């Protein structure tokens, strides 16, 4: 699945920074890719059992890694939350 990120905010990061954030998201949410767009997409979460727990853990791990970045923390955390919502909606 593709997660859209605000194009203007994403553009404030260097290519290396974008790559590192994309890596955090894809490592914690298998198959997720990031695509800049004029506005970000918000997924609706549907929760349920063990699947939800796995998504919650992946989201928490991604947010933790995002918090260690010296740049783009807000964008990275926002993407991790959207990826978590998308993951839960697939449960």
């Amino acid at each position: 699945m593709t997660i859209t990120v605000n194009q203007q905010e994403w553009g404030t990061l260097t290519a290396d920074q974008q790559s590192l954030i994309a890596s955090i998201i894809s490592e914690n949410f298998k198959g997720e890719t990031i695509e800049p767009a004029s506005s970000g997409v918000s997924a609706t979460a549907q929760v349920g059992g063990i699947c939800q727990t796995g998504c919650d853990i992946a989201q928490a791990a991604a947010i933790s890694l995002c918090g260690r970045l010296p740049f783009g923390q807000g964008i990275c955390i926002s993407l991790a939350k959207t990826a978590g919502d998308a993951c839960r909606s697939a449960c």
Side-chain angles (χ1 to χ4, degrees), residues 20 24 61-71 73 77:
L20 183 55
I24 288 171
I63 288 172
S64 176
L65 290 171
C66 290
R68 296 179 186 171
L69 296 175
F71 54 83
Q73 287 181 1
I77 290 169

Side-chain angles (χ1 to χ4, degrees), residues 73-89:
Q73 287 181 1
I75 292 170
C76 188
I77 290 169
S78 195
L79 287 167
K81 288 179 180 180
T82 301
D85 288 346
C87 178
R88 285 183 289 274
S89 73

Side-chain angles (χ1 to χ4, degrees), residues 27-76:
E27 286 175 14
N28 287 281
F29 298 95
K30 188 173 178 136
E32 298 292 347
T33 58
I34 298 170
E35 181 179 312
S38 59
S39 63
V41 173
S42 176
T44 302
Q46 298 174 355
V47 295
I50 199 83
C51 180
Q52 176 192 351
T53 301
C55 295
D56 292 346
I57 291 169
Q59 179 178 326
I63 288 172
S64 176
L65 290 171
C66 290
R68 296 179 186 171
L69 296 175
F71 54 83
Q73 287 181 1
I75 292 170
C76 188

Side-chain angles (χ1 to χ4, degrees), residues 4-45:
T4 58
V5 61
N6 182 283
Q7 191 170 23
Q8 189 175 25
E9 291 177 15
W10 191 245
T12 64
L13 301 174
T14 67
D16 288 342
Q17 292 169 339
Q18 291 172 355
S19 179
L20 183 55
I21 289 172
S23 176
I24 288 171
I25 299 303
S26 67
E27 286 175 14
N28 287 281
F29 298 95
K30 188 173 178 136
E32 298 292 347
T33 58
I34 298 170
E35 181 179 312
S38 59
S39 63
V41 173
S42 176
T44 302

